[in-house]
Amino acid sequence: MITSTMPKRVQILKHKFSTSIGLPFKELLPEAAIIEIISELKIKYRCRLFDPIVTLWAFLSQVLDADKSCRNAVSRIIAHLVGEGVELPSTDTSAYCQARIRLPEKFLEKLFYKVALGLEEKVIEEYLWCGREVKVLDGSNVSMPDTLSNQKEYPQHKNQSCGCGFPIAKIGVLFNIATGAVIALVIDVFNTHDIQLARKLYEFLKPGDVLLGDRAYECICGFS
């Protein structure tokens, strides 16, 4: 049986994280798990306050926080350090912003999959449909900062005049309906068809999975 309380639980957790003090993701995403991936990817970093671990914890909180400013993210780090008996850093946000930029995309991607798979392993029988896992396929569009590199990689819509629009990308995601976690994500230029993105996600399905999607994916032969 698939529960219908998932959205409510997500909202409760989101509210809890956004109203908490300090770095709540420290408990959910232990330092050891992050270091394991850093070691796998052989990522080198200096021993400083804004290392990949603290920066990631702050970044995740920033995404869910009602106040998404970098200043608020730094304030969370300071609140976290108050009880640690160490010298508190400046409230200046430049070091944090630079550290966030330094987070390797591959590092985030690896961590992303590790968390999703870990949640799947904990799914019990009652959350399956007829004993099968249900995976949901969906797509959307996202805009991003108007930089030369973004415009080159993800050009704005052709109907927009040069300098009057933002780079736009098409994303496709596959998530587990039982855990609510995204299993895989692909990104391409704006005019990419949903079926093209879906083909890239097919490799993340397992034998026996049930795939659920809207009418954009009605051509099931697209997965052959």
Side-chain angles (χ1 to χ4, degrees):
M1 179 182 69
I2 297 175
T3 179
S4 61
T5 60
M6 182 66 71
K8 186 179 293 185
R9 291 175 183 172
V10 171
Q11 289 302 318
I12 291 173
L13 287 173
K14 184 176 180 181
H15 180 263
K16 181 179 179 180
F17 290 141
S18 64
T19 56
S20 63
I21 299 174
L23 302 175
F25 279 94
K26 180 181 179 181
E27 307 300 325
L28 286 178
L29 202 55
E31 182 174 347
I34 301 174
I35 290 178
E36 181 182 341
I37 293 176
I38 289 175
S39 299
E40 284 181 21
L41 298 177
K42 299 180 180 179
I43 297 173
K44 296 181 180 180
Y45 62 94
R46 295 180 182 177
C47 185
R48 57 179 119 190
L49 172 60
F50 296 108
D51 61 18
I53 302 164
V54 172
T55 302
L56 178 65
W57 287 336
F59 189 18
L60 292 174
S61 294
Q62 183 181 2
V63 171
L64 291 179
D65 210 312
D67 180 354
K68 301 184 184 300
S69 67
C70 289
R71 183 173 297 278
N72 185 58
V74 171
S75 296
R76 279 185 171 275
I77 295 173
I78 293 174
H80 169 69
L81 293 173
V82 166
E84 300 294 325
V86 298
E87 183 180 353
L88 299 181
S90 165
T91 56
D92 183 76
T93 62
S94 59
Y96 166 70
C97 292
Q98 292 171 27
R100 203 178 66 171
I101 293 173
R102 286 195 299 268
L103 288 175
E105 187 174 328
K106 196 67 179 176
F107 163 67
L108 298 174
E109 183 181 308
K110 189 87 172 177
L111 190 64
F112 173 85
Y113 293 139
K114 183 179 179 67
V115 171
L117 292 176
L119 290 172
E120 278 195 347
E121 292 173 357
K122 297 179 181 179
V123 174
I124 57 178
E125 182 72 21
E126 67 177 292
Y127 290 109
L128 302 179
W129 182 77
C130 297
R132 297 172 181 266
E133 290 189 0
V134 179
K135 306 293 174 60
V136 181
L137 193 62
D138 203 0
S140 187
N141 303 321
V142 293
S143 62
M144 58 197 77
D146 189 16
T147 64
L148 290 176
S149 58
N150 283 343
Q151 283 283 10
K152 182 179 180 180
E153 193 75 19
Y154 305 105
Q156 65 187 55
H157 196 281
K158 62 181 180 180
N159 292 336
Q160 295 177 319
S161 301
C162 183
C164 297
F166 289 89
I168 304 175
K170 187 74 170 284
I171 61 171
V173 296
L174 184 71
F175 63 91
N176 189 310
I177 201 170
T179 66
V182 173
I183 302 165
L185 177 146
V186 290
I187 182 169
D188 213 322
V189 294
F190 174 71
N191 60 356
T192 305
H193 195 280
D194 290 325
I195 290 295
Q196 290 178 277
L197 292 178
R199 288 181 180 138
K200 297 179 181 179
L201 293 168
Y202 186 61
E203 64 179 285
F204 297 97
L205 294 172
K206 296 180 294 187
D209 282 351
V210 175
L211 185 62
L212 179 65
D214 60 24
R215 61 183 180 181
Y217 306 99
E218 62 183 352
C219 182
I220 194 65
C221 61
F223 293 101
S224 60

